[in-house]
Amino acid sequence: MKQIIYKNTKISFSDSGKGTALVFLHGFLENSKMWDYFTPDFSKKFRVISIDLLGHGNTEPMGYIHSMEDNADAVHAVLSELKIRKAVFIGHSMGGYVALAFAELYADNVKGIVLLNSTSRADSDERKANRDRAIKAVKQNYTNFVRLSIANLFSENNRERLESEIENVKTEALKTPLQGIVASLEGMKTRKDREVILHFANYPILLVLGKNDPVLNYEESIEQLENTAVKLLSFADGHMSPIENREELKKELLDFFKTL
C-alpha cells in the first residue's frame, strides 16, 4: 500500500498495472482489500487504483463527519499525486456515493462510472432515522453492530454458502475505527441527491443491482433509470455483488471497460 498526506490525514491506496485508470472505491465498513480478487486480472489491461476511504482500512479519520465530498476530495488528491487526469470509477455502496460526489465536483476527470449496489438518491427520512439508530448501536456495542451489519448485506440464500467469505468481510470490518464508522454514517445521512448525474452525464454509467438486496429496494432503485442511458446489470442476490456474484461481475465489468 502507498500513502499520501492530505489535510494532515494519511490516505492509503494501491496502484498496479498500466493503461486506462480504474479507481475502485469500497463501501461502508469495507476497505480496499475488497477488490483483491479483481485486481490481478484487471491490472493486466488497466491501471488499477484502490483507495481506502476516510476512516476505513489504513486511511485515517478526518473529523466528525466524513461527507461524500470530503471523500471525493481525498480521492482527487490521490489521483493528482499519481498525475491521473481521467479515470473510470467503480464504487460499491458508499463508494458509489463518493463516485457521484466526485463526478459532480470534478466532471472533467470522469471517463465512466460503475455504481455497484448503490444509488444516486439521497437517504429517505426512514433511512436517516436508521443511520441515527446505527450510530447509537455502534457506540453501545461496536463488535455486535459490525458483525450484524455485515451479515445483513448478503441475501439469505447465500449466508450459508458464503460463510467463510462473510467471516473474512467481518474480520476486515472490525478493523474500522469507531470514529470512522460514525463519521461515515453522518456523511451518508446528509448526502445530496445526485440523480441528475444519471440524466446528463456525457460518459457511460453502469448500475449493478441485486434483486434480493436487503439494503436497497430493487424496484425503487430501477426507477432512477427512467429516461436515462444508464446500463443496468441485475443479479438475483444481495448487496454484496463483488462477493456474491464474483465471476460473472468480473466478466461483465471487463466487457464494460472495453467499451470506454
Side-chain angles (χ1 to χ4, degrees), residues 70-124:
D70 292 336
N71 274 296
D73 288 339
V75 169
H76 187 256
V78 170
L79 298 186
S80 298
E81 174 76 16
L82 298 175
K83 302 194 166 39
I84 291 171
R85 206 184 73 75
K86 255 187 183 327
V88 183
F89 294 82
I90 303 93
H92 180 243
S93 198
M94 181 179 81
Y97 310 153
V98 175
L100 289 169
F102 186 98
E104 184 178 272
L105 293 166
Y106 307 103
D108 292 345
N109 301 124
V110 181
K111 194 169 183 163
I113 293 180
V114 179
L115 297 174
L116 271 172
N117 314 107
S118 194
T119 177
S120 64
R121 292 179 169 175
D123 271 0
S124 63

Side-chain angles (χ1 to χ4, degrees), residues 19-252:
T20 299
L22 308 177
V23 177
F24 284 86
L25 306 172
H26 61 79
F28 174 60
L29 295 177
E30 300 164 6
N31 59 51
S32 56
K33 281 191 183 164
M34 177 78 183
W35 310 109
D36 284 358
Y37 176 79
F38 299 91
T39 303
D41 276 353
F42 289 167
S43 59
K44 285 174 193 164
K45 295 189 172 86
F46 305 98
R47 184 174 184 182
V48 177
I49 295 110
S50 305
I51 303 174
D52 282 341
L53 296 172
L54 297 174
H56 286 70
N58 293 311
T59 291
E60 296 169 333
M62 191 170 81
Y64 295 106
I65 296 180
H66 294 157
S67 72
M68 299 306 106
E69 293 84 352
D70 292 336
N71 274 296
D73 288 339
V75 169
H76 187 256
V78 170
L79 298 186
S80 298
E81 174 76 16
L82 298 175
K83 302 194 166 39
I84 291 171
R85 206 184 73 75
K86 255 187 183 327
V88 183
F89 294 82
I90 303 93
H92 180 243
S93 198
M94 181 179 81
Y97 310 153
V98 175
L100 289 169
F102 186 98
E104 184 178 272
L105 293 166
Y106 307 103
D108 292 345
N109 301 124
V110 181
K111 194 169 183 163
I113 293 180
V114 179
L115 297 174
L116 271 172
N117 314 107
S118 194
T119 177
S120 64
R121 292 179 169 175
D123 271 0
S124 63
D125 290 341
E126 186 190 350
R127 289 289 300 268
K128 285 179 180 169
N130 286 344
R131 304 260 190 224
D132 286 332
R133 276 196 285 276
I135 290 167
K136 262 191 199 138
V138 72
K139 285 178 177 174
Q140 279 166 356
N141 191 333
Y142 169 89
T143 307
N144 209 27
F145 169 83
V146 171
R147 294 187 70 83
L148 270 173
S149 297
I150 297 300
N152 290 337
L153 298 175
F154 292 81
S155 73
E156 280 183 40
N157 312 343
N158 285 332
R159 286 178 200 170
E160 209 170 302
R161 175 175 78 85
L162 296 170
E163 203 175 346
S164 66
E165 282 91 339
I166 294 172
E167 278 309 310
N168 288 343
V169 179
K170 286 178 183 173
T171 303
E172 288 302 320
L174 287 164
K175 296 175 185 173
T176 318
L178 178 63
Q179 187 188 343
I181 293 176
V182 173
S184 298
L185 285 164
E186 292 283 7
M188 289 190 286
K189 182 179 83 178
T190 54
R191 75 181 189 281
K192 288 172 60 172
D193 188 290
R194 293 193 165 89
E195 201 172 331
V196 64
I197 292 174
L198 303 189
H199 289 268
F200 295 107
N202 59 354
Y203 43 79
I205 300 177
L206 172 66
L207 176 65
V208 181
L209 297 173
K211 290 184 177 173
N212 289 300
D213 188 328
V215 183
L216 287 176
N217 179 288
Y218 181 76
E219 306 306 328
E220 283 174 22
S221 294
I222 52 178
E223 284 171 10
Q224 62 194 315
L225 302 186
E226 273 175 42
N227 305 318
T228 72
V230 175
K231 190 177 173 229
L232 174 66
L233 170 61
S234 301
F235 292 114
D237 300 281
H239 192 69
M240 298 296 275
S241 297
I243 295 173
E244 293 176 275
N245 310 103
R246 237 172 210 174
E247 276 303 320
E248 208 180 331
L249 179 64
K250 184 164 77 172
K251 186 185 152 304
E252 293 280 355

